Amino acid sequence: MVKATRVTNDIRELRAARGITQAELASAVGVTRQTIIAIEQGRYSPSLEMAFLIARALGTRLDEVFAYPAD
Amino acid sequence: MSNILDIQSEPSYRRGMDDDQRIPTTTSERTAWVAAVLTPLATAGYFAVVLPQLADTRVADLAWQAPMLWSMGLNFVGTIVVTILVTIVAGIGAGLRREHLDTSSDVRDRDIDRYGSRVALTIAAGGLLAALVLAMLELDPFWIGSVAFLIGAIGATAGAIAQLRAYRGVFRG
């Protein structure tokens, strides 16, 4: 069984705070809504470029969206 | 900030969030579902036609080539036709739920597709090796062809299942 990625994110909270739907974020980033759901749930690690695009679409910094917790 | 989505001015309670909607299938995922079902069926159809002949026909006289070609052709055409039908049904379902059916594919779809192909090719390579061994043992072409066909079909099915697991589970690329 593949383990979930250790990269955590606050996309769902940031979207909720801004009133942005998954479909709208997906459209802004250029991916499917399923991909946004997979990233939010930690089932898919986006590329660095996609991570920057998500942060830009949410109007925030990359490190406010994604984190990589220490052991 | 100019790059932020220009929809923040409207409150989210009026706009409605889509978090609780069902997780949509992508076009690539639907194709994988069709392949995972049709490939075993088409392969089983070939063996259902050919194997009973072994009871009263010598292996060298078996008419196995045409059924195999039919199986491959029906699987290929069937995958295209059924995928189109499934997409139409998915579109109707999305319309009834007042959702938009996304028929695009993205980098995750391509990553998962490559992953499934890698699984399929790895198993198919085993089929090629098995066929080579059978050829070295000078077995009848029926056995060589059928073993290569069977392992190729197992590979294609395993590749499609690997894709489906990646779509619904964790995929790290």
Side-chain angles (χ1 to χ4, degrees), chain B residues 77-142:
Chain B
V77 174
T79 299
I80 294 171
V81 171
V82 175
T83 300
I84 291 170
L85 291 175
V86 167
T87 302
I88 291 170
V89 171
I92 293 170
L96 290 174
R97 291 189 302 273
R98 296 177 178 275
E99 294 174 10
H100 167 69
L101 180 69
D102 188 358
T103 54
S104 63
S105 62
D106 63 11
V107 63
R108 178 169 172 262
D109 289 308
R110 289 189 287 279
D111 286 347
I112 290 176
D113 188 53
R114 268 197 295 272
Y115 168 63
S117 297
R118 205 162 57 232
V119 170
L121 282 174
T122 302
I123 296 173
L128 185 64
L129 190 65
L132 277 174
V133 170
L134 295 179
M136 288 173 189
L137 295 172
E138 298 184 352
L139 263 70
D140 189 272
F142 163 73

Side-chain angles (χ1 to χ4, degrees), chain B residues 20-32:
Chain B
D20 298 326
Q21 290 180 8
R22 56 191 288 282
I23 299 175
T25 54
T26 65
T27 301
S28 303
E29 186 182 356
R30 286 192 291 273
T31 305

Side-chain angles (χ1 to χ4, degrees), chain A residues 8-33:
Chain A
T8 61
N9 69 80
D10 292 323
I11 296 175
R12 189 181 171 95
E13 293 76 10
L14 291 165
R15 278 194 310 102
R18 290 157 172 76
I20 298 172
T21 66
Q22 290 168 339
E24 287 164 343
L25 181 59
S27 175
V29 176
V31 298
T32 61
R33 188 178 145 238

Side-chain angles (χ1 to χ4, degrees), chain A residues 15 19 22 24 34-35 43, chain B residues 15 18-19 24 29 106 171:
Chain A
R15 278 194 310 102
Q22 290 168 339
E24 287 164 343
Q34 194 190 78
T35 294
R43 295 189 291 105
Chain B
R15 296 163 29 71
D18 54 359
D19 295 12
E29 186 182 356
D106 63 11
F171 179 65

